Amino acid sequence: MKNFGMFVLAFGLVSGSAMASGFRCEGEGYNVKMYNLTSGATRKPAVLVLSHEDASPKTLLTAKGSEIRKHNRVTSVQYVTDGVAMDLDSVILQISFKEGKEVIAEGDVINGQLILVGEDKSREVVRLSCERYLKN
């Protein structure tokens, strides 16, 4: 509920014409929520929340705005943030979706990956199932 409050706050700071989009992903006990602010054809990362069902507290990482770097790849979009809160070098959410080329309706489910990069550059890759989120 606390994370939802941060999400609402992030959108409250934006003009009334902005919309939201993003993904809600899960796999291997992990849950990742990635929300964008949408204005016209532009999607700007707003909030990324990573949690795990076995963790205490369940929320492992929350990144906002400029803490999230977005990279459009040939067949995917990546959201990258520092993983300091988890003693990691970085946390990457990779969605199999070509932004600007593909249209995914609300509720559609696509593949994703959570990539946890250690300080020693080791990688743990978690397969995710990601549901598209759209809000007017």
Side-chain angles (χ1 to χ4, degrees):
M1 202 59 158
K2 179 176 126 182
N3 292 328
F4 181 74
M6 286 187 281
F7 170 72
V8 170
L9 177 62
F11 288 109
L13 299 174
V14 178
S15 71
S17 64
M19 299 185 326
S21 71
F23 297 93
R24 296 175 179 147
C25 306
E26 60 182 37
E28 299 180 34
Y30 285 97
N31 289 295
V32 186
K33 296 176 185 169
M34 177 63 231
Y35 298 108
N36 296 300
L37 293 177
T38 304
S39 179
T42 304
R43 290 180 183 91
K44 183 177 178 183
V47 180
L48 185 145
V49 179
L50 172 62
S51 59
H52 193 280
E53 63 188 24
D54 294 336
S56 179
K58 296 206 180 295
T59 300
L60 302 171
L61 175 78
T62 301
K64 296 179 240 169
S66 63
E67 298 171 339
I68 308 163
R69 297 174 304 282
K70 179 179 172 182
H71 304 286
N72 285 311
R73 304 290 185 198
V74 174
T75 60
S76 65
V77 62
Q78 289 183 339
Y79 299 95
V80 182
T81 190
D82 295 330
V84 175
M86 298 173 59
D87 293 326
L88 296 171
D89 184 57
S90 59
V91 173
I92 303 167
L93 172 62
Q94 180 169 284
I95 308 289
S96 298
F97 163 63
K98 182 56 182 160
E99 192 171 79
K101 301 270 185 194
E102 296 178 74
V103 176
I104 301 172
E106 179 168 14
D108 284 354
V109 177
I110 58 176
N111 293 323
Q113 293 181 325
L114 174 63
I115 304 167
L116 305 172
V117 181
E119 293 173 344
D120 62 354
K121 302 301 180 200
S122 62
R123 291 178 175 242
E124 177 184 353
V125 179
V126 177
R127 292 177 194 250
L128 300 173
S129 176
C130 298
E131 179 181 3
R132 181 71 162 154
Y133 170 83
L134 298 171
K135 181 171 176 70
N136 292 334

